[in-house]
Amino acid sequence: VFGLCAHRETLILPRIAGLALAAFAVMRGIARSREPRSLLGLCGFPSRRMLFVALCIVLGVALGVYYRYRQERPLLPEALTYMCLVSAAIGLGEEVIYRGFVQGSLRRYSVIVAILAGAGAHTAYKCCLFALPDVAVRADMLWLAIGTFATGIVVGAMRERWGSLLFPVVFHVAFDVTAYGDLPS
């Protein structure tokens, strides 16, 4: 609901309702969890894996550069705007929701199901965001869906392999800052 209404200023009540419903579901799920930190992938900072953090930054920036190339924009932001902080916060929030809560909640069925469901839910949300924008946004919806789903599988596997949400968050924030950090709004 939020994704479909996000860019429509006149649809404020559905946006608020969509966010409130999602927040309620997440809070309820966390409250019922016996191990909320594990559910969300907040299991501490694996200090011996700094090389993987650096790799996540490089991969996130590289994907952001490719995204900018597909949008026919300069490959790197020339100057960062306040959208740098907004996009970083959005990337963090999306990872906590999709790789943290959704994937963490479904791990009891199987890791594969959890990764695919987290990637699928994030893909559906992302496609909804670009489906009805108020302003003209050039988005190849098929490329967006395939790219978001494939990337979701990779970052979901990162979360499972390295046991922390840190790596998907670093990757996603690096991507979002590179892709959107210079936008005016």
Side-chain angles (χ1 to χ4, degrees):
V1 171
F2 175 80
L4 286 172
C5 301
H7 299 292
R8 300 286 181 180
E9 288 184 25
T10 58
L11 298 177
I12 189 131
L13 289 179
R15 287 190 304 198
I16 292 171
L19 285 176
L21 183 61
F24 175 76
V26 170
M27 289 187 315
R28 185 170 185 245
I30 291 170
R32 290 183 167 192
S33 174
R34 292 183 181 167
E35 298 179 29
R37 291 187 67 200
S38 177
L39 169 76
L40 294 173
L42 304 174
C43 301
F45 182 78
S47 59
R48 295 179 294 152
R49 299 207 173 127
M50 284 304 294
L51 181 61
F52 294 123
V53 171
L55 176 65
C56 289
I57 293 170
V58 169
L59 291 174
V61 170
L63 187 60
V65 166
Y66 179 70
Y67 177 81
R68 292 175 69 90
Y69 169 77
R70 295 265 316 185
Q71 295 285 311
E72 297 178 2
R73 295 170 47 211
L75 297 183
L76 290 171
E78 294 175 9
L80 298 176
T81 65
Y82 80 96
M83 281 303 292
C84 175
L85 296 175
V86 171
S87 62
I90 290 170
L92 169 68
E94 289 177 356
E95 289 308 315
V96 168
I97 297 293
Y98 298 107
R99 251 56 68 190
F101 181 71
V102 172
Q103 185 172 325
S105 295
L106 298 174
R107 291 170 82 199
R108 65 180 174 244
Y109 299 110
S110 90
V111 171
I112 301 296
V113 166
I115 291 171
L116 293 174
H122 184 236
T123 300
Y125 163 74
K126 190 67 73 173
C127 288
C128 286
L129 276 177
F130 286 91
L132 300 171
D134 257 354
V135 295
V137 174
R138 289 183 317 129
D140 178 342
M141 293 301 281
L142 180 62
W143 182 84
L144 178 70
I146 291 169
T148 302
F149 188 73
T151 303
I153 291 171
V154 171
V155 294
M158 283 180 191
R159 189 234 194 212
E160 295 301 329
R161 172 65 180 102
W162 295 324
S164 175
L165 200 57
L166 171 69
F167 304 103
V169 166
V170 168
F171 171 86
H172 200 145
V173 167
F175 169 79
D176 280 358
V177 167
T178 303
Y180 310 117
D182 60 346
L183 295 178
S185 65

